[in-house]
């Protein structure tokens, strides 16, 4: 195996590139993955027999006892046991096949007590799918076991035949491995040419076996993922619950920011303004000139406070966005950026207000990052629609190196987009340029 050293285009650190001297087809019989998959197939048969026996026994016992009250708890206990066996199968697939399957949704009981638990077990589809797996997996496990073991044994036996063919004349009383025989005629593999051809056939079997085993375990992967993992609906529910938490946290953070800005900014200036005007009122009769200077200073504080309030209102929801849409609003944001920004908005209509607001704040946040961190001399903003998706792209010619996984503001922005089924893709190699693409659902036009 040869080793070369290159450089990762994203981080700039040296990375090791391993180049095997043998092609994958020749390496496969000796790789750890092949032996783990073969071990998985070997274990599948006895485990499937146990699972099938348990499932059929408990279902039959529960069905037979349904004429009494005992049948229902027995049936529920059988389903609960199948759930436990399903967890065991997920762990086995994770360890031997490298298949990561999330745990299915937990039981949702209404109330407490044994009867509530029985009702939850019987109503949950997560309880019935492991039962179906236990029944269906046995015939497949038997087929996989027979195919894999026969190919593996015959392949290695034929490949190593030149090493052990002497056993036949020495101990079996025949010239070699019998290929064909009847009462009058026998064919033995005993000369060098036949022995070589036998070894060649064994080599072909040995090289093909890992790929056959891999194809067999692919079906196992599908069964484990489909019957023992969470359903698409439950995964979607979990995703929506997570997104709802992100939205709530984001809204709370925005409220805290607004409260902090009001308290530390405009409110503090207005308090100081009230004090200055009070002092000016007291000095008005004694020292009109000093009072005039204080009123003039208070006038400047009023202008500053008004500007802060305008900025704060713009941060909540800019009026230009409501009145004139994304094109004008993004042009306004671009005019406040520290580098020249070219804005191009190509939309056939205005999206829903919520999506429009998220798009505005996404571009605003990205342009702030350009101003603060990119050290760029120019940037561009493109907005367009593709079918039912709204796409935003912000490009700058800065130093690059932006990384969503580094816990920066981009990570928070990605979470906000994910909360509305959006996507954030960052392409920022060290040295630049940086290209950030955001994708949002269109969610209907404005009325």
């Amino acid at each position: 195996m040869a080793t070369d050293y290159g450089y990762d285009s994203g981080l700039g650190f040296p990375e090791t590139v391993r180049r095997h001297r043998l092609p994958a087809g020749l390496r496969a019989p000796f790789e750890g993955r092949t032996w783990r998959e073969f071990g998985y197939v070997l274990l599948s048969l006895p485990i499937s027999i146990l699972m099938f026996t348990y499932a059929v026994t408990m279902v039959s016992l529960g069905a037979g006892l349904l004429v009494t009250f005992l049948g229902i708890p027995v049936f529920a206990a059988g389903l609960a046991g199948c759930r436990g066996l399903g967890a065991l199968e997920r762990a086995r697939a994770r360890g031997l096949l490298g298949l990561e399957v999330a745990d299915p949704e937990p039981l949702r009981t209404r109330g407490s007590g044994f009867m509530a638990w029985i009702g939850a077990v019987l109503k949950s589809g997560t309880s019935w799918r492991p039962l179906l797996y236990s029944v269906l997996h046995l015939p497949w496990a038997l087929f996989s076991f027979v195919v894999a073991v026969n190919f593996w044994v015959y392949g290695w036996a034929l490949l190593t035949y030149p090493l052990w063919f002497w056993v036949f004349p020495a101990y079996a009383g025949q010239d070699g491995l019998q290929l064909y025989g009847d009462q009058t005629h026998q064919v033995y593999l005993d000369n060098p040419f036949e022995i070589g051809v036998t070894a060649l056939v064994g080599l072909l079997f040995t090289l093909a076996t890992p790929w056959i085993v891999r194809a067999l375990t692919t079906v196992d992967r599908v069964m484990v993922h489909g019957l023992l993992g969470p359903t698409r609906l439950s995964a979607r529910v979990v995703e929506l619950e997570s997104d709802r938490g992100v939205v709530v946290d984001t809204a709370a953070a925005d409220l805290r920011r607004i409260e902090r800005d009001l308290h530390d900014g405009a409110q503090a200036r207005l308090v100081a303004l009230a004090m200055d005007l009070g002092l000016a009122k007291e000095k008005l009769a004694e020292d009109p000139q000093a009072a005039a200077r204080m009123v003039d200073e208070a006038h400047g504080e009023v202008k500053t406070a008004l500007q802060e309030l305008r900025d704060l209102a713009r941060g909540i929801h800019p009026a230009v966005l409501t009145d004139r849409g994304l094109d004008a609003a993004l042009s306004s944001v671009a005019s406040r950026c520290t580098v020249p920004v070219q804005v191009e908005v190509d939309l056939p209509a205005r999206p829903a207000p919520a999506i429009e607001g998220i798009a505005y704040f996404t571009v605003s946040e990205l342009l702030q990052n350009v101003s603060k961190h990119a050290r760029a001399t120019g940037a561009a903003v493109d907005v367009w629609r593709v079918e039912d998706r709204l796409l935003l792209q912000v490009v700058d010619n800065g130093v690059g190196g932006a990384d969503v996984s580094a816990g920066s503001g981009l990570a928070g922005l990605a979470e906000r987009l994910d909360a509305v089924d959006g996507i954030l893709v960052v392409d920022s190699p060290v040295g630049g340029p940086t290209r950030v693409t955001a994708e949002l659902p269109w969610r209907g036009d404005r009325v």
Side-chain angles (χ1 to χ4, degrees):
M1 180 179 62
T3 303
D4 292 341
Y5 294 94
Y7 285 89
D8 185 355
S9 60
L11 298 176
F13 296 112
E15 61 176 3
T16 302
V17 180
R18 296 182 177 180
R19 297 180 180 177
H20 294 277
R21 298 183 187 278
L22 293 177
L26 298 178
R27 296 196 316 267
F30 309 99
E31 289 182 332
R33 174 182 175 178
T34 299
W35 290 97
R36 288 193 298 270
E37 291 174 342
F38 184 63
Y40 182 90
V41 172
L42 293 181
L43 290 174
S44 290
L45 182 59
I47 292 177
S48 294
I49 292 174
L50 293 176
M51 294 179 64
F52 181 87
T53 303
Y54 172 82
V56 172
T57 300
M58 294 301 292
V59 169
S60 302
L61 182 61
L65 294 175
L66 281 179
V67 294
T68 67
F69 177 74
L70 292 177
I72 296 177
V74 169
F75 212 84
L79 293 178
C82 288
R83 287 176 65 102
L85 293 174
L88 207 62
E89 281 294 274
R90 288 194 299 272
R92 187 167 71 96
R94 186 180 305 113
L96 295 178
L97 300 182
L99 178 64
E100 292 294 336
V101 180
D103 294 337
E105 63 274 14
L107 289 177
R108 300 181 183 271
T109 58
R110 295 182 178 180
S112 59
F114 184 63
M115 296 304 299
W117 177 81
I118 291 178
V121 171
L122 295 176
K123 292 178 182 179
S124 174
T126 308
S127 303
W128 292 92
R129 286 186 286 115
L131 174 64
L132 182 61
Y133 176 88
S134 301
V135 175
L136 295 180
H137 193 252
L138 177 60
W140 175 252
L142 178 60
F143 174 79
S144 300
F145 182 90
V146 173
V147 172
V149 170
N150 276 279
F151 268 89
W152 202 263
V153 171
Y154 277 105
W156 283 103
L158 295 178
L159 178 62
T160 58
Y161 180 63
L163 303 177
W164 56 272
F165 82 96
W166 56 269
V167 172
F168 291 95
Y171 297 101
Q174 60 186 40
D175 296 334
L177 183 66
Q178 186 174 358
L179 181 64
Y180 171 78
D182 55 23
Q183 295 180 352
T184 59
H185 186 67
Q186 293 84 28
V187 176
Y188 297 100
L189 304 175
D190 54 358
N191 61 61
F193 174 75
E194 293 174 345
I195 293 174
V197 171
T198 302
L200 180 60
V201 172
L203 177 63
L204 297 177
F205 272 63
T206 303
L207 295 179
T209 299
W211 307 103
I212 295 174
V213 173
R214 192 158 301 174
L216 295 173
T217 54
T218 299
V219 178
D220 288 281
R221 288 184 172 93
V222 173
M223 295 181 69
V224 171
H225 190 276
L227 295 177
L228 300 181
T231 62
R232 291 185 178 181
L233 179 60
S234 63
R236 181 60 175 165
V237 169
V238 172
E239 181 182 355
L240 291 177
E241 290 177 348
S242 175
D243 292 345
R244 181 181 62 184
V246 172
V247 170
V248 172
D249 293 341
T250 301
D254 289 340
L255 288 176
R256 289 193 298 269
R257 177 183 59 81
I258 294 171
E259 180 183 7
R260 183 178 63 252
D261 292 344
L262 285 173
H263 183 272
D264 298 339
Q267 181 179 348
R269 291 188 180 277
L270 291 175
V271 170
L273 174 63
M275 297 175 61
D276 291 342
L277 290 176
L279 293 175
K281 182 180 178 181
E282 293 177 358
K283 290 182 175 292
L284 185 60
E286 301 176 359
D287 191 353
Q289 294 182 352
R293 287 196 302 270
M294 296 180 68
V295 170
D296 185 61
E297 293 175 357
H299 183 255
E301 289 291 325
V302 169
K303 290 183 177 180
T304 304
L306 287 175
Q307 183 61 40
E308 290 181 353
L309 289 174
R310 290 194 189 98
D311 294 339
L312 183 59
R314 187 184 296 112
I316 298 173
H317 194 85
V320 65
L321 179 63
T322 304
D323 298 337
R324 301 174 58 189
L326 275 175
D327 196 354
L330 295 183
S331 298
S332 176
V333 172
S335 66
R336 298 193 298 270
C337 189
T338 58
V339 300
V341 179
Q342 180 181 356
V343 178
E344 183 175 349
V345 179
D346 183 14
L347 297 177
R350 295 181 63 177
I355 299 301
E356 193 175 55
I358 294 174
Y360 169 82
F361 288 112
T362 299
V363 175
S364 178
E365 182 74 19
L366 293 175
L367 289 181
Q368 286 184 17
N369 288 342
V370 172
S371 299
K372 295 178 181 178
H373 309 295
R375 287 182 279 172
T377 58
V381 176
D382 291 322
V383 182
W384 70 99
R385 178 183 177 180
V386 177
E387 296 180 352
D388 60 343
R389 307 294 286 182
L390 175 65
L391 280 83
L392 321 167
Q393 190 171 86
V394 178
V395 183
D396 68 77
N397 60 355
V399 296
D403 187 4
V404 178
S405 62
S408 61
L410 290 175
L413 191 59
E415 290 181 353
R416 293 193 181 192
L417 294 179
D418 184 65
V420 293
D421 289 340
I423 301 173
L424 185 73
V425 179
V426 179
D427 180 19
S428 181
V430 175
T434 296
R435 185 184 303 272
V436 182
T437 305
E439 183 178 327
L440 291 165
W442 184 260
R443 296 280 172 87
D445 299 340
R446 284 173 174 258
V447 179

